Amino acid sequence: MASVFFTLLLLYATGVSGVPQLEPLNVTVLRGSEARFNISLSEAWYSMSWMLKTVLVLTINSGTGVSEHNSRFSVKNYSSADIYCWEFIIWDVWRNDSGDVSCGVQEKPTQTAQLFVQESGTVRIVGGNMTVAQGHQAIVQCEASGWFPEPTVSWVVDGVVVDQNSYNSSSEALDSLYNSISLLTVRGVNSVQVKCLASVSALTTPLSSSIYLVVDHCFTRAPRLDCAHRCRLFHRWLRSAGAAHPWNRLLLQTQKRSKIQLPEGNGENEVPDRDEWWRSGTETGQGKPCIRDRRPNNRCHPQ
């Protein structure tokens, strides 16, 4: 509605010639929304026709009124005593509606505009929230699926837009829709929110997906445990499942071949929890596995 009044104001200010004025000349919308065009002229007329590409979709006769050929197409009359103005509306636009939108007023030159229909897909960060050791790097993967044209993917970390040179993105077309993958590397300094955004020009607000990257000062990766320590922990863990467990049998076979002497277990209490398994004694400075207790400060303490 506002665009119609703007067009009328512009025509009053500049004066309308005998040639019909079609506005806007380029319209970009999302699939499923509506597209609107305005035709204005100052001289009396008796016949007007609207075409989508090469198909006649609607006609107007000044005497008999509107003749709709399809319910997806309609018009509104905003004419006044000084100017004739009609708004042409395409409802529930489809991808294959993209192309020429033309308006012909009897013998006057046909006016043509362009319609571009885009498609909004989905966006998600794979895996959800992440935990990383302080100073280590985390690779965050974002997937944007089912877009047209190729979406623009961007990142925001802790409220700050990430420079385009700091991440890698690639896209491929599948059944006329684009799928994109973007990889961002974040160094664990502080716990932050990581947001991935995907957009096309017709979207007023980009679609987004967010996770929290938690920096754990106690969290380290398994390789920092020495090999023998990791093997003992794994052995104790599997032993609780029983000697018949296939992974336990495989471990025992590996033990015999490598001649590693592992301690005997004495029951369920020896099975390490996840915190012990993934934490290294080097974090405590005392060469012992690091465990997290239930005290309020939630810090890491030597076993």
Side-chain angles (χ1 to χ4, degrees), residues 200-220:
V200 289
S201 62
L203 266 180
T204 55
T205 303
L207 300 187
S208 65
S209 175
S210 301
I211 66 164
Y212 286 94
L213 180 66
V214 179
V215 175
D216 191 337
H217 299 271
C218 187
F219 183 89
T220 59

Side-chain angles (χ1 to χ4, degrees), residues 286-301:
Q286 300 182 20
K288 297 180 180 179
C290 180
I291 62 173
R292 184 183 299 282
D293 65 13
R294 303 303 180 190
R295 279 177 275 185
N297 60 15
N298 199 33
R299 293 181 60 84
C300 182
H301 299 275

Side-chain angles (χ1 to χ4, degrees), residues 10-26:
L10 179 64
L11 292 171
Y12 275 124
T14 59
V16 182
S17 65
V19 177
Q21 303 294 315
L22 180 60
E23 297 283 344
L25 294 178
N26 293 286

Side-chain angles (χ1 to χ4, degrees), residues 9 18 61 66 103 120 137 187 199 233 237 272 295:
L9 180 62
N61 185 284
V66 178
C103 180
S120 173
Q137 290 183 338
R187 181 172 294 278
S199 182
L233 290 176
W237 202 339
R295 279 177 275 185

Side-chain angles (χ1 to χ4, degrees), residues 58-199:
L58 187 145
T59 56
I60 309 172
N61 185 284
S62 59
T64 60
V66 178
S67 175
E68 297 179 358
H69 300 263
N70 187 307
S71 60
R72 288 206 305 127
F73 307 95
S74 64
V75 290
K76 290 184 179 180
N77 186 2
Y78 294 101
S79 301
S80 66
D82 302 315
I83 188 172
Y84 300 96
C85 184
W86 289 80
E87 182 180 41
F88 173 63
I89 309 169
I90 307 174
W91 302 97
D92 188 24
V93 293
W94 307 335
R95 279 276 306 280
N96 59 5
D97 288 337
S98 295
D100 293 344
V101 175
S102 304
C103 180
V105 180
Q106 43 213 50
E107 73 280 357
K108 297 184 181 300
T110 299
Q111 304 300 302
T112 302
Q114 293 293 318
L115 172 62
F116 303 93
V117 181
Q118 300 182 344
E119 190 142 358
S120 173
T122 62
V123 60
R124 73 181 186 101
I125 294 179
V126 179
N129 295 336
M130 302 174 67
T131 301
V132 64
Q134 185 180 34
H136 287 221
Q137 290 183 338
I139 298 178
V140 188
Q141 178 177 325
C142 179
E143 295 179 353
S145 304
W147 294 77
F148 183 86
E150 180 180 344
T152 299
V153 179
S154 58
W155 293 87
V156 175
V157 176
D158 200 24
V160 179
V161 178
V162 178
D163 185 86
Q164 293 182 359
N165 296 324
S166 300
Y167 55 88
N168 297 315
S169 300
S170 60
S171 299
E172 64 176 2
L174 180 64
D175 295 331
S176 77
L177 294 175
Y178 283 89
N179 299 323
S180 299
I181 292 179
S182 185
L183 298 177
L184 172 70
T185 301
V186 182
R187 181 172 294 278
V189 178
N190 298 306
S191 296
V192 294
Q193 184 189 53
V194 180
K195 181 183 292 187
C196 176
L197 303 97
S199 182

